[in-house]
């Protein structure tokens, strides 16, 4: 879902970059006010995790390949703002270091991966009561990926890069598999943390 | 004019119309193209390909799909920089330029080795941990200054 340069039209680039940029500045300010220095190493490790997770892709039915994002997992652990900033830095770093995702299209990629998955995915998870922690995490991760894929498809369709019907089908079906994978990995890691270091699940969510 | 003459004349007239749709197919060699893979190593098969000729990056010279091995070949008919765009309809793809020389000389294959995945992961993690370390240090300095301001 890392859209390369040249695949989006100018109006789509401008609107998605505006959305991402307008959320970035207030988030940084708020995080700066509320975060204690002790949190920084944990955030750095989470950023490394998200970065690595997004470089691992697996082939799916139809011959394409998709990859995990880890965005919702990090938001569940650290909070939506932290998740948003961590995922944004991972996405931007991938674009600048390895052209995994274009430079001009970074705004759209940040919107699809960081804004939709970290922020929306978190609040979707919060809809579920505490006793549905695991199933809520699964459903939130899965849905976040599929919604992000739909938005990504809309951006590509509006730019004329993919056809409406066939492109939408290709995007959504391939990301249904990615969503399932994301849901399983999120749940597995949360369960591991619960068994090995349950205190981590209770840190303040910022 | 009797009926048989009419039939003969009409047959001659219409047979020339049939001749104008004759087809000649010959095999050709040469051409250039691309092979595309995901960074897992899997080929980008059956993905949309568009080829643009030098000086006209608006109207496609050719479009098609990559084969099962992620390959697509075409025959450039002019020298200059040709543009090939691959799009797998799931938000992945890319653009590459092929320089065709005078006399339509095809360039040699690209031999530059891309960064392996392990190296990518290592360099990314290093950058992240480096930036994190700097941030941690700066925040700690700020906390300490705040602490000493409160005392004084």
């Amino acid at each position: 879902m890392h859209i390369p340069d040249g695949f989006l039209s100018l109006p789509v680039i401008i609107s998605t970059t505006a959305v991402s940029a307008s959320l970035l500045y207030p988030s940084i300010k708020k995080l700066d006010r509320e975060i204690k220095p002790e949190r920084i190493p944990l955030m750095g490790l989470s950023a490394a995790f998200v970065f690595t997770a997004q470089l691992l892709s697996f082939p799916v039915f139809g011959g394409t390949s998709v990859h995990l994002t880890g965005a919702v997992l990090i938001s569940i652990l650290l909070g939506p703002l932290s998740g948003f900033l961590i995922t944004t830095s991972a996405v931007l770093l991938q674009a600048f270091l390895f052209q995994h995702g274009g430079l001009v299209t970074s705004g759209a990629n940040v919107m699809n991966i960081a804004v939709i998955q970290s922020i929306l995915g978190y609040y979707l998870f919060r809809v579920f009561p505490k006793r549905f922690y695991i199933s809520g995490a699964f459903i939130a991760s899965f849905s976040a990926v599929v919604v992000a894929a739909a938005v990504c498809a809309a951006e590509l369709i509006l730019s004329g890069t993919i056809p409406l019907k066939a492109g939408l089908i290709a995007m959504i079906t391939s990301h249904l598999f990615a969503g399932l994978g994301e849901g399983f990995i999120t749940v597995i890691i949360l369960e591991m943390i619960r068994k090995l270091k349950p205190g981590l699940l209770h840190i303040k969510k910022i | 004019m009797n009926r048989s003459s009419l039939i003969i004349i009409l047959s001659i007239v219409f047979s020339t119309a049939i001749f104008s749709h004759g087809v000649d197919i010959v095999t050709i060699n040469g051409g250039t193209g691309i092979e595309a893979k995901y960074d897992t190593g899997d080929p980008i098969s059956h993905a949309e390909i568009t080829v643009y000729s030098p000086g006209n990056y608006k109207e496609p010279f050719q479009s098609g799909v990559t084969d099962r091995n992620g390959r697509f070949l075409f025959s450039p008919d002019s020298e200059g920089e040709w543009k090939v765009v691959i799009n797998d309809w799931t938000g992945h793809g890319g653009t590459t330029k092929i320089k065709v020389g005078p006399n339509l000389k095809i360039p040699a294959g690209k031999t530059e080795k891309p960064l392996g995945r392990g190296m990518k992961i290592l360099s990314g993690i290093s950058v992240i941990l480096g930036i994190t370390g700097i941030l941690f240090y700066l925040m700690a300095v700020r906390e300490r200054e705040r602490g000493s301001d409160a005392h004084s």
Side-chain angles (χ1 to χ4, degrees), chain B residues 7 22 30 32 37 51 86 88 92 95 98 132:
Chain B
I7 289 174
T32 186
K37 291 191 177 139
V51 179
I86 185 168
D88 77 349
H92 298 103
T95 302
I98 299 179
T132 306

Side-chain angles (χ1 to χ4, degrees), chain A residues 52-63:
Chain A
T52 309
Q54 292 185 14
L55 283 181
L56 302 173
S57 48
F58 46 93
V60 294
F61 170 78

Side-chain angles (χ1 to χ4, degrees), chain A residues 1-5 7 32 35-38 40-41 44-45 47-48 51-52 55-59 63-65 67 93 97-98 152 156 161-163 166-167 170-171 174-175, chain B residues 38-40 42-46 48 85-95 115 117 119-125 127-129 131-133 135-136 139-140 142-143 146:
Chain A
M1 192 194 296
H2 291 74
I3 305 176
D5 273 330
F7 274 42
D32 190 35
I35 263 213
K36 296 229 168 342
E38 300 83 60
I40 302 269
L45 279 176
F51 179 85
T52 309
L55 283 181
L56 302 173
S57 48
F58 46 93
T64 62
S65 85
H67 51 66
L93 208 60
L97 280 184
F98 326 121
C152 183
L156 291 169
T161 311
I162 64 175
M171 274 297 283
S174 57
H175 284 87
Chain B
Y38 294 105
D39 55 7
T40 50
D42 301 307
I44 307 184
S45 37
H46 310 299
E48 179 192 88
V85 181
I86 185 168
N87 178 358
D88 77 349
W89 289 3
T90 65
H92 298 103
T95 302
L115 202 61
R117 180 176 291 202
M119 277 311 296
K120 281 187 189 180
I121 291 177
L122 193 61
S123 37
I125 290 178
V127 171
I128 287 171
L129 292 181
I131 293 175
T132 306
L135 275 176
F136 190 38
M139 284 195 83
R142 195 173 63 178
E143 288 282 312
R146 272 202 202 134

